[in-house]
């Protein structure tokens, strides 16, 4: 069966769902094809920090009601090193901007609900998804549903299928330049049923390795530890995780880390990756399909949102007046922001982690940079400006 739409979107993560919603607001039809079930994507715990611009965009687009009600607005972060905490105040350094802690899975739930309420189509549990003829004016997306072949004929295909998806490899190798760094460590993350014991995120540089203290709600804490890249989660029973968190987050002001049952744990590799360009024929990549960052700068979901904002506006211009200028500039427009986020994420990662084999040189550079960042308002402003994110416009 062949169904026709204007934009075929592959992937129902933040990028694909928000793109579909923004296109709907512009009167443009789309269909989302997703490999996983609705339940799976709505409960996949990943990022949780929204920059200022994406929060404003979600509110403007009418999908920010629960975000405003349940999201936790933060006005700063703490850098913790040498047994002391140093707060970076966002509003005073960035002209009043802030970030909001709101789980990625909550953004996904809100967007799925909005699409379904508006009569949108999301094909969950699609098997063997593929794309054909992206070089032509009539590209197609195909998949199987309950063993029955399905085909979507469209004008444009949006590849929003994450880092391991099928869209990026569809761009011929000679058109794709890849820039990549793999870090010699990973993050062990836990989600714990424990009330946050601090209102803001804590980034700790400790001689035993990096630790991040974060939260997802007034009852749930999210915590991370730097571990070796090939670490086996079986080596980390809950007691060991808590002990290590206490050690790395220790401070001399009487602050205490709340413990609670561990609801989820996993290990995430750390990598920087950019595919240039982000477009081929009628195929446009967005979000993790085109680039990933180490999570230290909290940029992954925000970049995905920024990409689809640019793409939705370019597609609106194309479908309303046939003007392809913004579509032609899509890669270039997005990559400027992507590389800023790549640099910031690499910089935060380099400043905060222990590097295997370091003879003390890097550690001293880190300490110097940390001291400077908390002592100089210009250095603190640079961190704050990047953390709250550059304006989307
Ligand atoms: C394990 C993990 C942990 C992370 N943790 C953090 C964190 O703690 N902090 C942080 O800031 N960032 C984190 N990130 C990064 C952040 O979550 C991503 O940047 C964000 O999800 C990007 O959104 P996206 O829509 O581009 O991609 P995704 O969210 O990956 O969505 C892609 C969608 O495409 C679907 N898909 C894949 N292949 C196909 C196919 N062939 N056909 C159809 N559908 C397909 C997937 O099921 C998925 O629903 C994490 C990422 C991962 C992978």
């Amino acid at each position: 069966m062949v169904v026709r739409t204007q934009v075929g979107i592959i992937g129902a993560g933040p990028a694909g769902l928000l793109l579909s919603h923004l296109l709907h607001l512009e009167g443009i039809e789309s269909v989302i094809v997703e490999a996983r079930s609705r339940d799976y994507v709505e409960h996949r715990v990943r990022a949780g920090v929204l920059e200022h611009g994406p929060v404003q965009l979600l509110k403007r687009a009418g999908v920010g009601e629960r975000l405003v009600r349940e999201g936790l607005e933060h006005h700063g972060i703490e850098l913790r090193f040498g047994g002391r905490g140093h707060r970076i105040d966002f509003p005073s350094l960035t002209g009043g901007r802030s970030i909001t802690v709101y789980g990625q899975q909550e953004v996904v739930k809100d967007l799925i609900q909005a699409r379904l309420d508006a009569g949108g189509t999301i094909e969950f549990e699609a098997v063997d998804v593929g794309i054909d003829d992206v070089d032509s004016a009539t590209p197609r997306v195909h998949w199987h549903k309950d063993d029955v072949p399905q085909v979507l004929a469209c004008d444009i295909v949006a590849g929003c299928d994450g880092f391991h998806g099928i869209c990026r490899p569809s761009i011929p190798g000679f058109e794709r330049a890849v820039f990549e760094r793999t870090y010699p460590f990973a993050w062990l993350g836990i989600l714990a049923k424990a009330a946050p014991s601090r209102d803001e995120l804590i980034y700790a540089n400790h001689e035993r390795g990096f630790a991040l203290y974060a939260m997802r709600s007034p009852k749930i804490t999210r915590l991370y530890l730097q571990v070796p890249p090939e670490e086996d989660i079986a080596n980390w029973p809950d007691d060991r995780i808590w002990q290590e968190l206490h050690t790395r987050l220790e401070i001399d002001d009487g602050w205490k880390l709340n413990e609670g049952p561990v609801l989820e744990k996993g290990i995430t590799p750390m990598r920087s990756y950019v595919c240039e360009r982000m477009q081929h024929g009628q195929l446009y990549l967005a979000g993790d399909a085109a680039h990933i960052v180490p999570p230290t700068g909290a940029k992954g979901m925000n970049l995905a949102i920024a990409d689809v904002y640019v793409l939705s506006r370019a597609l609106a211009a194309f479908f309303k007046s046939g003007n392809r200028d913004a579509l032609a500039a899509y890669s270039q427009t997005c990559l400027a922001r992507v590389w800023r986020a790549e640099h910031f994420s690499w910089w935060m990662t380099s400043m905060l982690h222990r590097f295997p084999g370091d003879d003390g040189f890097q550690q001293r550079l880190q300490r110097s940079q940390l001291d400077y960042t908390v002592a100089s308002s210009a250095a603190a402003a640079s961190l704050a400006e990047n953390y709250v994110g550059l304006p989307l416009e």
Side-chain angles (χ1 to χ4, degrees):
M1 195 177 74
V2 179
V3 172
R4 174 128 196 105
T5 192
Q6 289 172 290
V7 182
I9 299 175
I10 305 184
L17 289 163
L18 181 59
L19 177 63
S20 182
H21 179 70
L22 295 174
L23 292 177
H24 164 69
L25 297 181
E26 297 283 357
I28 298 165
E29 283 176 13
S30 66
V31 169
I32 304 176
V33 181
E34 163 62 48
R36 302 288 194 157
S37 69
R38 177 177 179 181
D39 186 63
Y40 184 91
V41 298
E42 287 190 341
H43 293 94
R44 190 167 39 193
V45 176
R46 287 184 171 176
V49 172
L50 284 168
E51 293 173 354
H52 186 81
V55 169
Q56 304 308 315
L57 174 64
L58 292 169
K59 287 203 270 189
R60 268 200 323 272
V63 283
E65 194 202 323
R66 207 160 63 88
L67 160 66
V68 169
R69 204 173 57 240
E70 297 177 18
L72 308 170
E73 187 178 1
H74 283 200
H75 294 109
I77 56 165
E78 181 182 319
L79 293 177
R80 192 172 279 193
F81 55 96
R84 293 191 55 209
H86 308 262
R87 185 164 183 274
I88 305 288
D89 184 78
F90 293 154
S92 64
L93 294 161
T94 64
R97 284 183 282 155
S98 60
I99 53 148
T100 299
V101 171
Y102 189 62
Q104 177 171 325
Q105 74 278 16
E106 306 306 325
V107 174
V108 164
K109 278 181 207 160
D110 294 346
L111 288 167
I112 288 177
Q113 199 55 56
R115 286 312 296 125
L116 298 181
D117 287 350
T121 305
I122 308 174
E123 298 284 354
F124 288 106
E125 298 180 70
V127 176
D128 291 337
V129 180
I131 43 183
D132 302 309
D133 305 331
V134 287
D135 288 311
S136 79
T138 52
R140 289 173 169 234
V141 179
H142 64 259
W143 70 100
H144 279 76
K145 175 89 180 175
D146 300 329
D147 290 331
V148 180
Q150 312 283 329
V151 176
L152 187 63
C154 33
D155 301 305
I156 300 285
V157 177
C160 303
D161 52 349
F163 188 64
H164 300 287
I166 50 104
C167 290
R168 189 177 64 253
S170 308
I171 299 181
F174 63 86
E175 271 198 22
R176 258 191 291 143
V178 165
F179 301 90
E180 190 172 13
R181 286 284 179 279
T182 304
Y183 298 87
F185 36 75
W187 275 17
L188 187 163
I190 63 166
L191 199 65
K193 196 170 174 194
S197 38
R198 196 74 139 205
D199 291 343
E200 293 175 342
L201 276 67
I202 303 167
Y203 286 80
N205 174 312
H206 190 272
E207 63 189 26
R208 292 180 63 82
F210 170 74
L212 172 60
Y213 170 87
M215 65 297 292
R216 286 292 186 266
S217 76
K219 292 182 182 157
I220 302 288
T221 313
R222 181 90 165 131
L223 298 138
Y224 297 94
L225 286 169
Q226 173 186 348
V227 294
E230 309 304 336
E231 187 64 299
D232 184 350
I233 193 77
N235 295 331
W236 288 85
D238 296 356
D239 283 354
R240 182 179 175 202
I241 294 174
W242 287 115
Q243 195 183 2
E244 195 63 30
L245 284 164
H246 281 293
T247 303
R248 295 191 196 179
L249 290 165
E250 192 179 13
I251 193 169
D252 57 11
D253 71 351
W255 176 77
K256 205 170 162 313
L257 172 67
N258 285 344
E259 289 191 23
V262 174
L263 306 173
E264 223 184 281
K265 59 181 166 184
I267 292 183
T268 310
M270 304 275 283
R271 189 187 277 153
S272 303
Y273 181 103
V274 181
C275 170
E276 292 187 2
R277 33 200 299 217
M278 293 168 58
Q279 180 258 339
H280 167 74
Q282 310 307 324
L283 170 66
Y284 294 81
L285 303 180
D288 276 20
H291 42 71
I292 54 173
V293 283
T296 327
K299 291 288 166 240
M301 174 167 55
N302 292 297
L303 279 181
I305 289 173
D307 284 352
V308 297
Y309 175 65
V310 173
L311 186 54
S312 68
R313 287 164 59 110
L315 288 172
F318 169 61
F319 282 112
K320 280 176 190 163
S321 64
N323 186 335
R324 276 192 171 267
D325 291 353
L327 277 179
Y330 173 70
S331 287
Q332 205 184 343
T333 308
C334 290
L335 285 168
R337 184 185 195 89
V338 166
W339 277 113
R340 178 85 303 278
E342 290 287 349
H343 177 269
F344 179 64
S345 306
W346 164 85
W347 178 77
M348 287 281 280
T349 303
S350 307
M351 180 169 72
L352 291 164
H353 292 73
R354 280 287 168 273
F355 282 74
D358 178 31
D359 59 0
F361 183 82
Q362 176 132 5
Q363 221 171 305
R364 281 161 180 76
L365 292 181
Q366 290 177 339
R367 183 57 191 259
S368 167
Q369 184 63 40
L370 284 163
D371 283 338
Y372 176 57
T373 302
V374 300
S376 152
S377 54
S382 173
L383 188 156
E385 193 171 80
N386 280 280
Y387 201 98
V388 301
L390 302 177
L392 278 183
E393 295 299 334

